[in-house]
Amino acid sequence: MQLLDGKYVSEKVKVQIAEEAAQFLSETGRKPHLVAILVGNDGGSETYVASKMKNCEKVGFKSSLYRYDSTVTEAELLDKVREINADDDVDGLIVQLPLPKHIDPEKVTEAIDPKKDVDGFHPINLGRMMRNLPCYIPATPYGILLMLQAYDIDTTGMHCVVVGRSNIVGSPMSVLMARNANPGNCTVTLTHSKTKDLKEQVLQADIIIAAIGKKNFITADMVKPGAIVIDVGINRETSTETKSGYKLYGDVDFENVAPKSSYITPVPGGVGLMTIVGLLKNTLASARKEIY
Ligand code: GUN
């Protein structure tokens, strides 16, 4: 079993991004600029956005955070999105999800200029991804591709089973792993909560991508010996053992699955760190006008 080490790979890629950001600054006199909008006080969202902002500073990007109380109206939020769309100093805009119930996430996502949609959630970017056209790939799937690349894992001809069909991870991941590319060229099965024989499906996998959001959902009896296991889960539980007061668990029962796998990502220290790298790379690509 080999660990797919998100800390090691993300730090290595960030050094490269920092060099490219410095080059961009010397050529243009400005830094790549990411703006995040955070609504409410969800603990997970607070942590993720803080980490995104911190990592921007680390690689020499400018970052701005706009915070709103959970009582903000949809109209106010849409106005802010339009204002940022029109600001030439901004390269990337993300609105952290989930949003409060009275705000339609589809409306907000579609209001973001696709050219600044570095989360890759806008239907135009998702549509372009389906057609293999230049686009922003959603940050978590992008991070997973970068991780597989970093370990020279050739996925050609493999059977990839994705567990979970979210717009953010499972659905785009299934498309990317089936594309005529490497990583890619897989036969893909996309499983979800209504899949009848989930265990039998997962047992067929050469690569398992677990994005369900349930602690220890993938158990050792669901894993074929030698499978590659990518754990996207970030399940937070309060804990007295840690300084932060919470502990993170993946969607995979790491302790029992790891000995059966050929490669596996830990939680924390795996996919989560690569998601940030995906976001930074998309922001740099936007600044350099590489996609649009
Ligand atoms: N919520 C969970 N993951 C993400 C993400 O990658 N981007 C945004 N905007 N919200 C999220």
Side-chain angles (χ1 to χ4, degrees):
M1 181 275 291
Q2 182 170 0
L3 210 60
L4 297 170
D5 185 344
K7 178 126 188 72
Y8 174 74
V9 176
S10 66
E11 290 301 329
K12 211 168 118 185
V13 183
K14 280 190 278 186
V15 169
Q16 195 187 334
I17 295 171
E19 282 170 16
E20 292 174 36
Q23 174 88 19
F24 180 80
L25 175 62
S26 75
E27 282 167 11
T28 65
R30 60 181 289 272
K31 295 177 176 183
H33 183 191
L34 176 69
V35 172
I37 296 180
L38 175 60
V39 181
N41 300 294
D42 176 77
S45 294
E46 296 254 6
T47 310
Y48 305 145
V49 170
S51 177
K52 289 170 186 179
M53 300 288 97
K54 193 179 83 189
N55 276 284
C56 278
E57 306 304 328
K58 262 195 189 166
V59 298
F61 289 8
K62 180 176 170 184
S63 67
S64 308
L65 172 61
Y66 294 96
R67 297 197 60 138
Y68 288 92
D69 198 79
S70 58
T71 54
V72 68
T73 65
E74 188 178 88
E76 264 179 280
L77 203 59
L78 290 172
D79 278 349
K80 190 67 191 176
V81 167
R82 291 186 196 110
E83 181 194 313
I84 297 166
N85 283 344
D87 184 345
D88 288 341
D89 183 49
V90 177
D91 301 297
L93 167 60
I94 61 169
V95 178
Q96 189 66 24
L97 303 174
L99 289 167
K101 291 219 168 6
H102 65 280
I103 299 174
D104 181 354
E106 302 302 334
K107 263 196 200 165
V108 175
T109 301
E110 290 198 34
I112 296 172
D113 181 347
K115 296 184 176 69
K116 298 188 180 185
D117 168 41
V118 288
D119 258 333
F121 294 168
H122 193 288
I124 288 187
N125 280 312
L126 290 172
R128 291 178 68 89
M129 186 185 78
M130 292 290 295
R131 296 188 63 96
N132 236 336
L133 295 167
C135 65
Y136 299 112
I137 295 172
T140 299
Y142 191 11
I144 293 170
L145 298 182
L146 291 167
M147 180 78 109
L148 292 168
Q149 255 168 13
Y151 283 85
D152 277 330
I153 296 171
D154 184 351
T155 59
T156 306
M158 286 187 178
H159 185 181
C160 176
V161 176
V162 179
V163 190
R165 57 181 159 183
S166 69
N167 287 326
I168 292 180
V169 184
S171 293
M173 204 65 232
S174 67
V175 171
L176 291 163
M177 293 307 282
R179 287 206 303 191
N180 185 0
N182 190 29
N185 283 321
C186 287
T187 304
V188 175
T189 303
L190 178 57
T191 64
H192 47 76
S193 57
K194 304 291 190 299
T195 298
K196 265 190 190 157
D197 49 352
L198 187 77
K199 178 178 167 185
E200 281 64 38
Q201 293 291 340
V202 178
L203 266 170
Q204 303 301 314
D206 303 308
I207 308 181
I208 300 164
I209 299 177
I212 318 114
K214 286 193 180 138
K215 177 183 166 185
N216 295 346
F217 184 86
I218 304 290
T219 47
D221 61 329
M222 298 168 80
V223 178
K224 178 167 81 175
I228 298 165
V229 181
I230 309 292
D231 189 350
V232 185
I234 305 181
N235 304 297
R236 280 160 61 99
E237 284 189 4
T238 50
S239 167
T240 50
E241 288 169 36
T242 59
K243 216 167 57 181
S244 62
Y246 63 85
K247 210 170 161 185
L248 299 182
Y249 296 90
D251 289 348
V252 175
D253 174 10
F254 184 89
E255 194 184 327
N256 295 305
V257 169
K260 286 185 90 172
S261 64
S262 55
Y263 295 91
I264 187 165
T265 61
V267 177
V271 172
L273 300 174
M274 295 306 295
T275 294
I276 304 235
V277 168
L279 179 67
L280 295 173
K281 281 183 80 85
N282 279 343
T283 304
L284 183 63
S286 175
R288 289 163 151 183
K289 308 223 180 309
E290 283 175 358
I291 311 284
Y292 291 100

